[in-house]
Amino acid sequence: MRPLKKKLTIAAAAVNAAAIIGAVVLTALGSSAAKAQSYNYAADRWSSSEKSEYSQISCFFSPDAGFSTNSAGGVKNTLLSALKTVSVEPVEGVDLVPDAYSAVAGTATVSGDASGRSEAELTAVGGDYFFMFRDFRLLSGSFFGEKDLMQTGAVIDRQLAWNLYGSDEVAGMNIYINNVKLFISGVVDTPSTKPEKQSADKTPKAYISYYAAGLIFGSASEQGGVSDTDTAVPEFRKVTCYECVVPEPVENFGYSTVKEHLATEYKGKISIVNNTERFTPKKRVKALKKLGDSVVAKDGIVYPFWENASRMVEVKLSLIYGARRLLLIIPLITALCLIVMGYRLFQRKKEGLKKAAADGIEAKWRSLKSHMPKKAEQTAEKES
């Protein structure tokens, strides 16, 4: 019987060790997969030098939602007003709510001063922080922002740069889209993580300002232009992605405020994401119950490739952290069994333990009593 018990003990120890090691490995895999989607960590990048907590909120709209550049400004004003009511005021020189907005403007043929030509997907970007949210790896040149005097710059990816000029060192060179001349502000690397590669098609990408998008695609009648003169610049106003980083004076402040402002008006045409907590183990395990909703898009919203990549990672993390929880059940059950066994053993040995304790106390008392006369004699001798 003893050899069998010994074998069972060794087997149980091996199973528990394997479960714990497996849980550690899954934790490392999950953490690595989450951190690879750096787009979701804009709040960390923004708050790196601040003591305050921030959250990153992203809103995605269907093409027919009617959300525009003016609407984006309204969201920011709402957030600033809400922060003011809880005594969070802006600091001079620091943007309290950095935000950005964008929309896929369309696909067009792009050419350069050389003979190169290429189809490219054009994304209109607004605000000064679009590229902070994206965390693209800049290969050459620089990013542009809404405050730049020149709004005809374009950030293109490595593939488009090579298609046009055979190099990614092309900052400052010209590109032409629908007879509109732009200059290359910077070149970024192509998507690098596996989910991003799967989500982004092979069409090269270019990121242009809303001003440039108006020159290329805008229509005064369709996009809300206010002038009928020949010199008026058509406006491009459509927004399908709005994102911001918000101080968190209380938990979920940013998400709740944005949801309250937008959810009813754009019901069925909006998806609001709290990027800051989307990859947490608790959130991902809870999402296992509705995993099908993450896999199948039912709302008609066209998500940009970086969000589709993040949604793929969400599914992966739900499975990883779900498996980790199952593995951790094994040492938990073992620990409970050991506690029960220890309690039962204590109950069986309780009387013996009580007797042993009582005998120990009695022996100690007898020892003390035997030493008392000797101490009395020693004290008397000293006094005499």
Side-chain angles (χ1 to χ4, degrees):
M1 192 67 178
R2 287 182 180 179
L4 178 60
K5 186 176 181 180
K6 184 177 180 181
K7 289 181 180 179
L8 290 174
T9 302
I10 294 173
V15 169
N16 278 274
I20 293 171
I21 292 172
V24 171
V25 170
L26 289 175
T27 300
L29 288 174
S31 177
S32 176
K35 289 180 180 178
Q37 297 305 118
S38 60
Y39 137 71
N40 296 281
Y41 296 93
D44 291 344
R45 292 191 290 275
W46 180 257
S47 62
S48 60
S49 60
E50 300 287 335
K51 294 182 180 179
S52 303
E53 293 291 329
Y54 287 83
S55 64
Q56 177 188 351
I57 312 300
S58 297
C59 304
F60 303 97
F61 301 88
S62 62
D64 62 344
F67 193 82
S68 68
T69 53
N70 290 337
S71 307
V75 176
K76 182 166 184 173
N77 288 335
T78 297
L79 286 167
L80 291 173
S81 297
L83 287 167
K84 190 173 183 179
T85 62
V86 291
S87 302
V88 179
E89 298 283 353
V91 178
E92 186 176 355
V94 178
D95 200 333
L96 187 59
V97 181
D99 66 343
Y101 48 90
S102 59
V104 174
T107 302
T109 300
V110 182
S111 59
D113 288 326
S115 58
R117 295 171 66 85
S118 175
E119 290 296 306
E121 179 184 274
L122 306 181
T123 299
V125 305
D128 282 310
Y129 301 99
F130 175 83
F131 296 105
M132 180 199 74
F133 283 100
R134 297 290 73 73
D135 197 31
F136 289 144
R137 188 164 77 92
L138 189 66
L139 301 178
S140 66
S142 61
F143 298 126
F144 63 82
E146 199 169 57
K147 296 175 183 177
D148 292 350
L149 293 177
M150 294 289 289
Q151 287 293 302
T152 54
V155 171
I156 66 176
D157 69 11
R158 181 203 293 265
Q159 186 59 55
L160 183 55
W162 277 86
N163 289 352
L164 297 179
Y165 288 104
S167 170
D168 50 38
E169 296 289 338
V170 293
M173 295 185 179
N174 298 319
I175 58 173
Y176 303 88
I177 309 172
N178 291 354
N179 296 320
V180 175
K181 178 181 177 181
L182 305 176
F183 71 92
I184 300 173
S185 173
V187 180
V188 295
D189 204 356
T190 51
S192 57
T193 67
K194 185 176 179 180
E196 289 174 346
K197 290 178 180 178
Q198 292 175 332
S199 302
D201 58 38
K202 295 182 180 180
T203 305
K205 308 289 190 293
Y207 303 91
I208 60 177
S209 68
Y210 267 72
Y211 173 82
L215 294 175
I216 299 167
F217 296 106
S219 165
S221 59
E222 293 179 4
Q223 298 292 342
V226 294
S227 174
D228 294 326
T229 65
D230 293 336
T231 58
V233 175
E235 295 183 9
F236 185 89
R237 292 183 177 177
K238 181 175 70 174
V239 173
T240 55
C241 172
Y242 174 80
E243 47 205 336
C244 57
V245 169
V246 189
E248 289 282 275
V250 295
E251 188 176 2
N252 276 330
F253 175 86
Y255 178 81
S256 300
T257 304
V258 171
K259 185 177 181 180
E260 182 180 352
H261 181 67
L262 297 176
T264 302
E265 182 178 356
Y266 297 97
K267 185 177 181 180
K269 299 181 178 182
I270 185 175
S271 174
I272 306 173
V273 179
N274 186 344
N275 304 75
T276 309
E277 63 175 32
R278 72 188 302 179
F279 291 153
T280 59
K282 181 180 179 181
K283 185 89 171 178
R284 296 311 341 132
V285 172
K286 186 178 180 181
L288 276 171
K289 298 177 182 179
K290 300 179 179 179
L291 196 59
D293 294 339
S294 301
V295 177
V296 181
K298 302 177 181 178
D299 46 24
I301 297 173
V302 180
Y303 295 97
F305 78 83
W306 54 82
E307 175 59 20
N308 278 326
S310 294
R311 287 174 173 252
M312 290 175 65
V313 172
E314 280 185 332
V315 174
K316 181 178 180 180
L317 290 178
S318 290
L319 297 174
I320 287 176
Y321 290 135
R324 185 185 71 167
R325 179 166 289 190
L326 290 175
L327 286 176
L328 290 175
I329 288 175
I330 296 173
L332 177 62
I333 292 175
T334 302
L336 290 174
C337 289
L338 290 174
I339 291 172
V340 171
M341 290 170 61
Y343 177 74
R344 288 178 176 176
L345 180 63
F346 172 75
Q347 290 296 320
R348 288 199 303 268
K349 303 290 185 179
K350 184 166 59 174
E351 294 303 323
L353 292 172
K354 285 183 178 179
K355 187 176 183 305
D359 290 345
I361 293 172
E362 185 178 353
K364 185 69 175 177
W365 175 244
R366 283 199 302 268
S367 174
L368 289 172
K369 286 176 68 177
S370 66
H371 282 79
M372 288 174 66
K374 294 180 180 179
K375 287 185 177 180
E377 291 177 6
Q378 291 173 357
T379 301
E381 289 176 1
K382 288 180 180 179
E383 290 177 352
S384 62

